Amino acid sequence: MTLPDQTPGALPATSSRRRPRKSLGQHFLTDPRIAQRIVAAAQPSPGDTILEIGPGSGTLTRRLIASGSNVIAVEIDPHLAAVLPERMDNPPNLKVVQGDARTIDIPALLEGRSTYKLVANLPYYAAAPILRRFLESQVPPTSLIVMVQREVADAMCAAPGQMTLMSVATQLYAVPSVVAQVPPRSFRPPPKVSSTVIKLVMKETQPDPLNGIEEFFALVRSGFSAPRKQLRNSLMQGSGSPAEFVSAVLTDAGIDGQRRPATLSIPEWLTLDTHWPAGVP
Ligand code: SAM
């Protein structure tokens, strides 16, 4: 983690209008109403700590700073990270860190603070690993307001009947809701896909699966290995376990093996986990 050169005038602000780097998912938000809705959903107050991932040229950052919150902005692009403080008029409540949100040391970034909100217009290519990292962190945010590709948002917000591995991985930790639908024309350059802003409010009690989180997700992955099949068959295929074993566990857990994996709720996955022996994938 390296702090950028924040010397005033080190780089001219105008030079940040370079060609957006597609490889870094740089689609900059140009619709001020959407920016306002994202920031409003975070309900920032003076004294709050807001972690912004990928501030880019500062469309959201400027509004977050104006709320009086303390903003920590993590930007992977060294040039954008370097010019951001000056673009924002060097406010005292902004700290910019050049780094990769997929690997950054979260406690070091927060400098001892344990309560914070996360706000991000996420790069599509890295949205899933970044979200996973913060949802599973030992120091998770209290809420996350994030823009992601519409299909990803749909999966994160899905109800039983439409659930996927992504739905379980999200809703194990947080309660999702949709903030806004965002068309490609709201960005420069416009992406090929539509986007959705969602809010994830972290559950007060974090999950504590019986055999640990890794085993829990190994079970869920097995359950979704053949998502169109009945749960019993999908679990057999995914875990390599015999039919009698899988049927017995499902009966013990009180779950009908003829159901499709997509129909199980989070409490049902947790119940299945308590009946599934440790060490069986
Ligand atoms: N927040 C700005 C906005 O709304 O206009 C920019 C959003 S743009 C979709 C994504 C931003 O994330 C870019 O500035 C990009 O350089 C940055 N970025 C890409 N990968 C990143 C990563 N792994 N860690 C931190 N920032 C990243």
Side-chain angles (χ1 to χ4, degrees), residues 217-267:
F217 277 114
L219 168 65
V220 180
R221 260 192 300 277
S222 288
F224 279 108
S225 62
R228 290 177 207 285
K229 289 188 180 171
Q230 294 180 354
L231 178 63
R232 184 180 47 204
N233 296 331
S234 188
L235 278 170
M236 273 168 53
Q237 176 175 311
S239 68
S241 305
E244 306 74 49
F245 167 83
V246 172
S247 294
V249 175
L250 285 166
T251 303
D252 277 357
I255 294 171
D256 181 352
Q258 292 185 327
R259 289 170 58 186
R260 309 284 160 189
T263 66
L264 267 66
S265 65
I266 300 289

Side-chain angles (χ1 to χ4, degrees), residues 21 23-30 35 38 52-61 74-78 80 97-103 119-126 130 147 186-188:
R21 293 174 65 181
S23 62
L24 294 180
Q26 291 181 352
H27 297 280
F28 299 108
L29 186 62
T30 52
I38 294 172
E52 187 189 359
I53 307 294
S57 45
T59 303
L60 301 176
T61 323
V74 179
E75 173 56 60
I76 199 169
D77 184 324
L80 290 180
V97 177
Q98 191 270 317
D100 185 338
R102 292 170 296 179
T103 52
V119 173
N121 172 10
L122 287 169
Y124 299 127
Y125 83 96
I130 291 173
M147 175 127 61
S186 300
F187 302 88
R188 180 188 65 85

Side-chain angles (χ1 to χ4, degrees), residues 58-90:
T59 303
L60 301 176
T61 323
R62 187 178 295 285
R63 290 170 169 82
L64 293 168
I65 293 166
S67 74
S69 298
N70 296 308
V71 180
I72 303 170
V74 179
E75 173 56 60
I76 199 169
D77 184 324
H79 176 80
L80 290 180
V83 299
L84 187 62
E86 198 190 339
R87 281 182 71 100
M88 302 290 108
D89 302 321
N90 294 307

